[in-house]
Amino acid sequence: MREKILVVDDDEKITSMLRRGLAFEGYRVLSARNGQEGLALAGQEHPDLIILDIMMPVLDGWEVCRRLREADLRMPVLMLTAKDEVSDRVRGLDTGADDYLVKPFALEELLARVRALLRRHKDAGTDSAEPSKHRLHYEDLTLDLDSREAFRGERAMELTAKEFDLLHLFMSNPRRVLSRDVLMDKIWGIDYSGESNVLEVYVAMLRQKLEEGGEPRIIQTVRGAGYVLKGERA
């Protein structure tokens, strides 16, 4: 079955270009002209991926993404926007977006990111279906792969889809140093061509959530090598 992609953008020229380009690649394409319409279509059609503009009437892309995640709709979201400030990119990622592409963009780059997001989402779904790995534990961390919930001790943490996938990878490889290349390949895919510091941004956001209750750092930086999940008792 062909993957179904929902384009939510009030710019008719961009929407038309995306519809043609995605359809040519074999995807089924739905479109919405504003955030409210896009949110409704996402709930009705359950697309495999959403391309979401930020600056839209009725509901902006940040609010749409936040509501999608609140409704436990976990399809990948690629944010498409003219905003290029780091704070805007972080805000988009923190609301649950999986990737971020700044206008103007090349269609080839967008298609590469779409392929990477769809592949990662499919792989994550396959991994979480393993019956012997419903929950992962490391020290005071618990990751529930069925409900996609994360806990540090008794404290629940609200993680974005990518933060969850990143923590899942760390918890599947405790005390093992994971290089930047391995982390980028496993979480964003080998053909990712977006922001060069996306991994550092996500590690910083994940650490903030892991440590916001005053807990000690558990994701350590290994200078020149990568990152490792290693607590004080390791």
Side-chain angles (χ1 to χ4, degrees):
M1 181 180 295
R2 296 183 301 165
E3 289 98 339
K4 182 165 44 177
I5 296 178
L6 171 61
V7 178
V8 187
D9 198 315
D10 63 328
D11 188 320
E12 293 184 5
K13 290 183 179 179
I14 289 179
T15 299
S16 178
M17 180 267 289
L18 290 177
R19 288 183 66 93
R20 291 195 303 270
L22 291 165
F24 184 79
E25 293 296 314
Y27 299 110
R28 292 180 292 158
V29 186
L30 304 171
S31 62
R33 295 167 293 181
N34 60 61
Q36 184 171 327
E37 184 180 329
L39 190 61
L41 267 177
Q44 295 165 8
E45 298 289 340
H46 292 274
D48 297 289
L49 181 142
I50 298 175
I51 298 174
L52 179 64
D53 188 33
I54 285 184
M55 304 308 292
M56 292 185 295
V58 189
L59 290 177
D60 63 31
W62 287 314
E63 182 64 14
V64 171
C65 193
R66 186 184 68 79
R67 294 191 188 188
L68 285 170
R69 299 322 188 202
E70 282 186 349
D72 204 30
L73 295 174
R74 296 294 173 180
M75 66 282 289
V77 173
L78 170 60
M79 277 195 163
L80 198 64
T81 179
K83 289 183 171 290
D84 193 23
E85 296 294 328
V86 172
S87 59
D88 292 315
R89 295 199 298 271
V90 170
R91 181 179 176 185
L93 297 171
D94 208 26
T95 58
D98 297 277
D99 200 357
Y100 200 108
L101 187 59
V102 177
K103 301 175 184 176
F105 58 88
L107 180 62
E108 291 79 7
E109 181 180 3
L110 179 136
L111 292 172
R113 296 199 189 194
V114 164
R115 289 192 296 270
L117 287 172
L118 288 171
R119 183 177 63 249
R120 291 305 310 155
H121 187 67
K122 180 179 179 181
D123 290 347
T126 300
D127 292 343
S128 65
E130 296 180 18
S132 62
K133 297 183 179 179
H134 287 299
R135 283 197 168 208
L136 294 178
H137 301 275
Y138 181 74
E139 294 203 355
D140 60 347
L141 283 176
T142 301
L143 208 61
D144 190 310
L145 303 181
D146 291 330
S147 65
R148 292 184 69 86
E149 292 177 313
F151 301 87
R152 185 142 196 198
E154 298 299 319
R155 179 173 63 84
M157 297 177 290
E158 292 187 9
L159 303 183
T160 67
K162 272 288 186 289
E163 289 168 351
F164 185 94
D165 292 342
L166 187 58
L167 185 56
H168 182 188
L169 183 57
F170 278 123
M171 292 184 67
S172 299
N173 298 275
R175 297 180 298 280
R176 175 186 172 189
V177 177
L178 299 176
S179 70
R180 190 179 193 283
D181 288 344
V182 166
L183 291 165
M184 289 297 297
D185 182 16
K186 295 293 187 182
I187 304 301
W188 284 273
I190 57 174
D191 53 1
Y192 176 79
S193 57
E195 299 293 332
S196 60
N197 68 334
V198 66
L199 175 61
E200 288 73 21
V201 170
Y202 267 98
V203 168
M205 293 192 300
L206 184 55
R207 278 174 168 167
Q208 182 178 8
K209 293 181 180 181
L210 287 169
E211 300 166 16
E212 66 183 0
E215 299 91 345
R217 176 152 297 181
I218 199 165
I219 296 178
Q220 316 293 342
T221 300
V222 181
R223 191 174 298 277
Y227 299 95
V228 60
L229 182 73
K230 184 172 67 173
E232 292 183 335
R233 298 194 298 271

